[in-house]
Amino acid sequence: MSVLQKSKTKSNARAQIAIKGVRDGVLLLPNNQYRVVLQVSALNFELKSEQEQDAIIDTYENFLNSLGTNLQILIRTREIDMDKYLEELSERLKDETEKIYQKQLTNYDEFIRSLITNNKILTRHFYLIIPYKADSKTEFELIKEQLNLKVDIIGKGMTRLGMHTRQLPSLEVLDLF
């Protein structure tokens, strides 16, 4: 089988990664490996001044150099289905009684429709995956405590960069897969 050929066997991401489960927002993997997933807010770097960009780069460099752990960065980009939004907009237009607001809603609806015919509307979410490897005898509460320490350190580093973090709960972790 060529490396570039599509596999004929179908399997979901959970089976491919061999996820054993998720408990209290902690991803359980084989061989006593664990992961916590943090969602990170975006930062519009291009809109910053040159001095602000330099400060962000320096802070990020210092943050990465100070980490005592590996870190995985995941960026998930998905196309947004605008049909539901356009339906809601049409409903608002039907319910609107003021002529000026009807005109504004109509213009806005036309603008959005023209925008999505020529462009894909995308959403981007940013995640940090924090790993932890434990001995087979280590209790889950200790593992969770160690991961929480890492989450706290990384969260503070992201705050210094002007970004906010949020640990994903169990259902949202599974939803990533």
Side-chain angles (χ1 to χ4, degrees), residues 42-58:
L43 178 70
N44 201 333
F45 188 75
E46 294 295 318
L47 293 180
K48 304 288 185 185
S49 70
E50 191 173 330
Q51 291 86 4
E52 289 173 317
Q53 289 179 357
D54 289 342
I56 290 169
I57 291 169
D58 289 342

Side-chain angles (χ1 to χ4, degrees), residues 99-125:
K99 292 286 184 197
I100 188 135
Y101 295 135
Q102 286 176 347
K103 185 175 181 181
Q104 286 178 337
L105 283 169
T106 302
N107 289 342
Y108 181 67
D109 184 77
E110 290 171 3
F111 168 73
I112 294 294
R113 288 182 191 280
S114 69
L115 186 67
I116 63 175
T117 56
N118 300 326
N119 302 293
K120 290 182 180 180
I121 308 299
L122 302 174
T123 181
R124 225 176 246 128
H125 294 281

Side-chain angles (χ1 to χ4, degrees), residues 8-173:
K8 294 186 187 218
T9 59
K10 297 223 180 218
S11 64
N12 63 20
R14 186 173 177 172
Q16 289 176 351
I17 300 172
I19 296 171
K20 291 170 57 177
V22 179
R23 183 173 162 197
D24 297 336
V26 177
L27 188 62
L28 312 172
L29 300 172
N31 302 322
N32 300 315
Q33 294 190 50
Y34 303 88
R35 305 285 186 272
V36 169
V37 181
L38 296 180
Q39 185 172 24
V40 182
S41 65
L43 178 70
N44 201 333
F45 188 75
E46 294 295 318
L47 293 180
K48 304 288 185 185
S49 70
E50 191 173 330
Q51 291 86 4
E52 289 173 317
Q53 289 179 357
D54 289 342
I56 290 169
I57 291 169
D58 289 342
T59 304
Y60 187 61
E61 181 182 358
N62 290 334
F63 166 70
L64 289 177
N65 287 333
S66 70
L67 280 179
T69 185
N70 294 329
L71 198 63
Q72 181 181 358
I73 300 171
L74 171 67
I75 303 170
R76 174 163 283 173
T77 304
R78 292 202 169 167
E79 188 174 347
I80 298 175
D81 181 14
M82 296 294 291
D83 292 337
K84 184 177 179 183
Y85 180 71
L86 290 171
E87 286 174 20
E88 290 173 5
L89 198 57
S90 294
E91 289 297 318
R92 286 178 62 191
L93 181 59
K94 288 177 191 174
D95 295 340
E96 186 55 59
T97 57
E98 295 289 327
K99 292 286 184 197
I100 188 135
Y101 295 135
Q102 286 176 347
K103 185 175 181 181
Q104 286 178 337
L105 283 169
T106 302
N107 289 342
Y108 181 67
D109 184 77
E110 290 171 3
F111 168 73
I112 294 294
R113 288 182 191 280
S114 69
L115 186 67
I116 63 175
T117 56
N118 300 326
N119 302 293
K120 290 182 180 180
I121 308 299
L122 302 174
T123 181
R124 225 176 246 128
H125 294 281
F126 303 90
Y127 303 95
L128 295 177
I129 294 114
I130 303 166
Y132 185 77
K133 174 113 171 102
D135 295 331
S136 58
K137 298 174 186 171
T138 309
E139 291 189 23
F140 184 73
E141 290 305 314
L142 180 62
I143 292 165
K144 212 166 94 173
E145 185 179 317
Q146 292 296 312
L147 280 166
N148 285 337
L149 288 171
K150 290 182 178 190
V151 165
D152 188 50
I153 291 167
I154 291 168
K156 287 177 181 172
M158 292 289 105
T159 300
R160 282 193 297 274
L161 289 165
M163 295 182 272
H164 305 284
T165 60
R166 176 181 73 88
Q167 184 175 342
L168 294 185
S170 297
L171 288 176
E172 289 183 39
V173 170

